[in-house]
Amino acid sequence: MEVLLAMAHLPSKRYFDETDQLAECQLLSETVKRAEMKAKHTRTILVGDFNVNPFEAAVVGALGLHAVMAKQVAMRNNRTVQNKEYQFFYNPMWRHFGERSDGPPGTYYYGPAGQVTYFWNIFDQVLVRPALIPHFPDHELRILTAIGDVNLLNTNGQPNRDVASDHLPMLFKLDV
């Protein structure tokens, strides 16, 4: 089975505001759509450091990546907004937020001094088009805290940038 794998590293929140990030996700969405038209299918996975959380407009918005948290919604394939059709992505990263997940409460820790601080974020995401949902075992998606004997967390349980990166990597499987 032919699959499109798209990878992206979008600009940081340190340099781009929400409007800029939405514009970047709109451009990325259009690039993915053009690749799907050229390939003549929508068996697409989009993965990367989007530098936005799954709940932000750049990810969930119809003009952005249009990625939803529920398979049932994504399996509708698309929805119409203002007479224009937008195709869904499914975003399985939602279940990795917070302490009820089977791993760390996110992929990136950031604790600025502002009034609103999430501390843990999921900037690193894997998005799946509805055509691939049956081939994407959710239970195989993990945020890694170690690779072999190398612990990726510091003593505070946050990503150890001195060992690897300030982001934790993800591991997923696709049955094709």
Side-chain angles (χ1 to χ4, degrees), residues 25-116:
C25 285
Q26 287 172 325
L27 292 171
L28 177 57
S29 178
E30 289 301 318
T31 300
V32 168
K33 287 176 199 169
R34 282 193 303 276
E36 290 172 336
M37 288 178 67
K38 185 176 179 180
K40 296 183 171 96
H41 69 78
T42 59
R43 293 182 301 275
T44 306
I45 291 183
L46 175 58
V47 63
D49 175 1
F50 302 147
N51 274 304
V52 289
N53 279 300
F55 54 80
E56 293 184 63
V59 177
V60 297
L63 285 173
L65 298 174
H66 206 217
V68 296
M69 71 169 84
K71 285 182 196 178
Q72 181 181 21
V73 173
M75 291 303 287
R76 295 189 332 221
N77 289 313
N78 56 58
R79 72 180 175 122
T80 302
V81 179
Q82 299 288 331
N83 296 317
K84 186 169 190 274
E85 192 173 280
Y86 296 90
Q87 186 166 15
F88 286 119
F89 271 107
Y90 165 56
N91 190 344
M93 298 306 297
W94 280 87
R95 74 178 183 90
H96 291 275
F97 262 124
E99 293 190 3
R100 297 187 96 193
S101 70
D102 57 355
T107 63
Y108 181 77
Y109 185 89
Y110 175 60
Q115 292 292 326
V116 176

Side-chain angles (χ1 to χ4, degrees), residues 11-13 16-25 51-52 58:
S12 170
K13 288 184 177 300
F16 274 48
D17 66 18
E18 288 179 17
T19 304
D20 295 324
Q21 289 179 312
L22 177 57
E24 289 296 316
C25 285
N51 274 304
V52 289

Side-chain angles (χ1 to χ4, degrees), residues 86-143:
Y86 296 90
Q87 186 166 15
F88 286 119
F89 271 107
Y90 165 56
N91 190 344
M93 298 306 297
W94 280 87
R95 74 178 183 90
H96 291 275
F97 262 124
E99 293 190 3
R100 297 187 96 193
S101 70
D102 57 355
T107 63
Y108 181 77
Y109 185 89
Y110 175 60
Q115 292 292 326
V116 176
T117 300
Y118 300 116
F119 296 98
W120 279 101
N121 300 273
I122 296 187
F123 293 162
D124 311 278
Q125 298 171 55
V126 55
L127 308 181
V128 182
R129 283 285 197 216
L132 285 178
I133 289 174
H135 305 280
F136 187 86
D138 277 7
H139 65 280
E140 298 278 350
L141 173 61
R142 297 189 332 249
I143 298 171

